[in-house]
Amino acid sequence: MYYHSTRDRSCRVTAAEAIAWGISAEGGLFVPETLPELTAEKLQAMMGMTYAQKAEAVLGEFLTDFTAEELADCVRNAYTSEKFDTENIAGISRVGERDYLLELWHGPTCAFKDMALQLLPRLLTVSAAKTEPGREIVVLVATSGDTGKAALEGFRDVPGTRMLVFYPENGVSNMQKRQMTTQEGGNVSVCAIRGNFDDAQTGVKKIFTDPAILAKLAANNQKFSSANSINWGRLAPQIVYYIAAYTALAEQGEIRLGEVVNIAVPTGNFGNILAAYYAKKMGLPIGKLICASNRNRVLTDFIETGVYDRNREFYTTSSPSMDILISSNLERLLYDLSGEDEALIREWFGALSREGRYAVTPKVLECLRANFAGGSCDDAQTAETIGRIFREYGYLCDTHTAVAVKVNADYRRESGDLRKTIIASTASPYKFTADVLAAITANALPADDFAQMELLAKLTGTVPPASLLALRDKKVRFTGSVARDEMVSAVLAMLD
Ligand SMILES: *Cc1c(COP(=O)(O)O)cnc(C)c1O
């Protein structure tokens, strides 16, 4: 299977090249030329397989330049019971009559990013060995919280890689900061910058083309790569869990094989829900894809009107991983919905970077609305939903997941569509303890993070993830911070 760029169809690469390079030279994203077909027989054959076996079956059709041994090695080392605290890797909890919460947060950092970032470093080292043999891969990440930690855990002690994460000194939660500053692993470092997330992001982009750094990389026989969500190596592993969940529900007798289900996803950069769309296109029986946003409802408006407009106020919400006004992976969807019209994509995404806005054609809007339903929910509704789901069903969900639960309930009521729904549950409630606690108790909260975790456990009878509890006794390895203009020297020092 080959991949081409959404902005230049003539650019044709292998899976290993797409993963090693991350993004195409002219700024487009790599997409598969055709999607493998998921026939009823293939679904049937997956019944009873372990998660890792299902992953091998699905990914084998996308990463055709990997040998079966290479892929098996990557997958089996990524999805293990040492890394994930549930045997199925992604657990499923039924809430009410027809909603299934697909818990994608049982990995080491307690957010769904682990599902892809436990595997990506392995795919990347195999890809780099094919495309850049003998070179060490250097990964830089600017993070506002979840991605940085998941990438650090994924890359820690992976041979042939080195990683540096920049985070805004005062722009992440206590727990997120603690997760990063105590990070273990001989090949990873973490650096706070005195600035905001945009400063970190801009700084990292500049470093990728800094002459002094590039000279040093060449001298060291090293090469930069990226671990952000536009890398195909992060998207492909996300297709797996929708197929795995569907077959798991059939195994449990919750659905019939062939029964059409909906999928609801709390959405930010549009990576997670795009993976569900690809699963649908491959033939997984999926009806509506329900795209749930928080108060930053740029996608809800887009699905309603066909106009994508980021010229609007940015809100900080209780679901921070969805506080985003530019959903990069939407480019892949629109490329597909427009019939792979690279000229239209160049026009729209050019307009987005110049004017912050574009309008799709009526035909594309029609296709969009045939597949997707959008909806949004504010912080008060998010808290209300956490409280209601806990009181009615004894099930505790995090703020991001609650957004999807609420938007899905609205969709079902308004549309009368009664199909069963898989709702992507993207983070452990203990990752956003303060907001989750406030949603279920009116009492004042203790200030200390660990006291809050204890209280949440006591009030709900749930168990905090061991990896978060363990942070209390972990030694802080990375202290101090650099100014924005010191990021280059921080990278040079790391490369020594
Ligand atoms: C990253 C993230 C999201 C958004 O996922 P996208 O793929 O960017 O749409 C939702 N919830 C949580 C907890 C996340 O970390």
Side-chain angles (χ1 to χ4, degrees):
M1 175 179 291
Y2 286 88
Y3 294 76
H4 56 227
S5 162
T6 50
R7 299 190 195 181
D8 177 10
R9 286 182 57 114
S10 68
C11 163
R12 192 167 192 253
V13 303
T14 62
E17 286 166 336
I19 292 170
W21 300 343
I23 188 163
S24 185
E26 81 301 322
L29 308 185
F30 292 118
V31 289
E33 273 185 344
T34 53
L35 287 173
E37 200 187 339
L38 199 58
T39 58
E41 293 73 50
K42 284 190 199 164
L43 279 179
Q44 180 73 51
M46 262 185 231
M47 302 267 287
M49 284 186 183
T50 64
Y51 188 89
Q53 287 167 336
K54 290 177 185 178
E56 275 179 63
V58 174
L59 293 174
E61 301 203 59
F62 282 104
L63 312 179
T64 51
D65 50 338
F66 283 52
T67 66
E69 293 72 41
E70 283 169 343
L71 186 60
D73 192 50
C74 290
V75 166
R76 288 174 201 172
N77 286 309
Y79 301 118
T80 67
S81 57
E82 285 115 68
K83 302 277 174 60
F84 289 79
D85 68 6
T86 176
E87 205 188 321
N88 304 326
I89 306 301
I92 303 178
S93 298
R94 179 153 64 84
V95 169
E97 280 295 298
R98 36 175 72 90
D99 288 335
Y100 296 89
L101 291 183
L102 172 58
E103 296 171 357
L104 302 170
W105 42 262
H106 288 283
T109 77
C110 309
F112 94 94
K113 306 285 194 293
D114 288 327
M115 297 301 293
L117 278 165
Q118 280 298 308
L119 184 59
L120 175 74
R122 299 165 206 280
L123 299 180
L124 193 56
T125 43
V126 174
S127 299
K130 291 178 190 294
T131 57
E132 311 280 346
R135 287 200 178 166
E136 187 180 50
I137 296 295
V138 178
V139 180
L140 296 184
V141 173
T143 185
S144 60
D146 285 342
T147 298
K149 175 62 183 179
L152 285 163
E153 270 306 310
F155 278 92
R156 93 184 225 201
D157 296 325
V158 172
T161 70
R162 222 182 255 223
M163 151 165 268
L164 178 57
V165 169
F166 289 103
Y167 72 92
E169 188 170 33
N170 299 313
V172 300
S173 78
N174 286 349
M175 194 56 78
Q176 288 172 320
K177 184 173 195 162
R178 210 187 284 260
Q179 277 189 315
M180 288 189 280
T181 56
T182 59
Q183 178 65 43
E184 291 160 359
N187 63 333
V188 298
S189 8
V190 175
C191 186
I193 74 149
R194 297 193 285 278
N196 60 25
F197 170 66
D198 284 327
D199 298 324
Q201 174 110 312
T202 310
V204 163
K205 279 192 187 149
K206 275 199 203 129
I207 289 169
F208 273 97
T209 52
D210 184 274
I213 291 193
L214 292 178
K216 181 101 174 208
L217 282 178
N220 289 358
N221 200 22
Q222 293 165 320
K223 179 135 176 62
F224 276 137
S225 189
S226 109
N228 64 22
S229 74
I230 53 175
N231 193 317
W232 179 252
R234 267 188 70 179
L235 211 45
Q238 297 184 345
I239 299 173
V240 172
Y241 49 71
Y242 291 111
I243 299 171
Y246 183 91
T247 47
L249 287 177
E251 286 159 21
Q252 295 159 21
E254 296 284 342
I255 58 171
R256 267 180 306 107
L257 210 57
E259 179 174 343
V260 175
V261 301
N262 293 334
I263 293 190
V265 184
T267 298
N269 214 12
F270 210 78
N272 202 358
I273 196 166
L274 180 70
Y277 172 77
Y278 281 139
K280 176 177 177 173
K281 270 210 91 171
M282 288 167 70
L284 195 67
I286 296 172
K288 275 280 188 228
L289 296 157
I290 296 150
C291 175
S293 300
N294 63 25
R295 198 177 172 202
N296 296 295
R297 43 172 284 152
V298 61
L299 287 166
T300 312
D301 294 339
F302 178 58
I303 294 168
E304 219 164 274
T305 63
V307 176
Y308 193 96
D309 192 351
R310 63 156 304 195
N311 303 304
R312 59 177 73 208
E313 200 171 331
F314 174 84
Y315 300 106
T316 311
T317 73
S318 63
S319 45
S321 303
M322 295 153 68
D323 291 345
I324 188 162
L325 291 179
I326 299 189
S327 301
S328 330
N329 271 303
L330 198 55
E331 177 164 342
R332 285 187 164 111
L333 175 72
L334 295 179
Y335 178 73
D336 192 68
L337 294 181
S338 68
E340 311 206 334
D341 191 332
E342 58 177 45
L344 269 183
I345 295 299
R346 282 197 299 266
E347 183 189 316
W348 293 339
F349 286 85
L352 180 65
S353 63
R354 283 189 315 273
E355 294 135 38
R357 181 182 189 282
Y358 60 87
V360 299
T361 58
K363 189 152 169 278
V364 167
L365 178 60
E366 195 187 310
C367 291
L368 179 69
R369 294 176 56 114
N371 286 288
F372 292 84
S376 73
C377 131
D378 64 19
D379 280 2
Q381 293 169 315
T382 304
E384 227 168 75
T385 304
I386 294 172
R388 181 176 68 79
I389 296 298
F390 181 66
R391 281 190 311 275
E392 285 181 21
Y393 305 105
Y395 186 83
L396 190 66
C397 69
D398 97 294
T399 46
H400 302 74
T401 307
V403 169
V405 170
K406 165 78 171 115
V407 169
N408 178 54
D410 290 347
Y411 165 76
R412 183 174 284 145
R413 197 183 51 249
E414 285 157 20
S415 66
D417 177 349
L418 292 180
R419 283 182 288 220
K420 291 168 187 157
T421 304
I422 296 173
I423 300 176
S425 175
T426 50
S428 158
Y430 285 90
K431 209 160 179 184
F432 301 93
T433 318
D435 284 307
V436 172
L437 259 180
I440 60 163
T441 171
N443 296 339
L445 307 183
D448 176 71
D449 296 326
F450 298 98
Q452 288 181 1
M453 288 213 277
E454 256 169 50
L455 179 60
L456 187 59
K458 199 170 123 218
L459 291 177
T460 61
T462 57
V463 182
S467 64
L468 293 183
L469 280 179
L471 292 176
R472 192 198 320 234
D473 304 317
K474 284 247 159 91
K475 233 179 81 208
V476 172
R477 284 180 69 201
F478 303 102
T479 52
S481 59
V482 301
R484 278 175 292 176
D485 55 10
E486 291 165 348
M487 287 172 70
V488 168
S489 14
V491 174
L492 285 171
M494 178 205 55
L495 294 177
D496 271 331

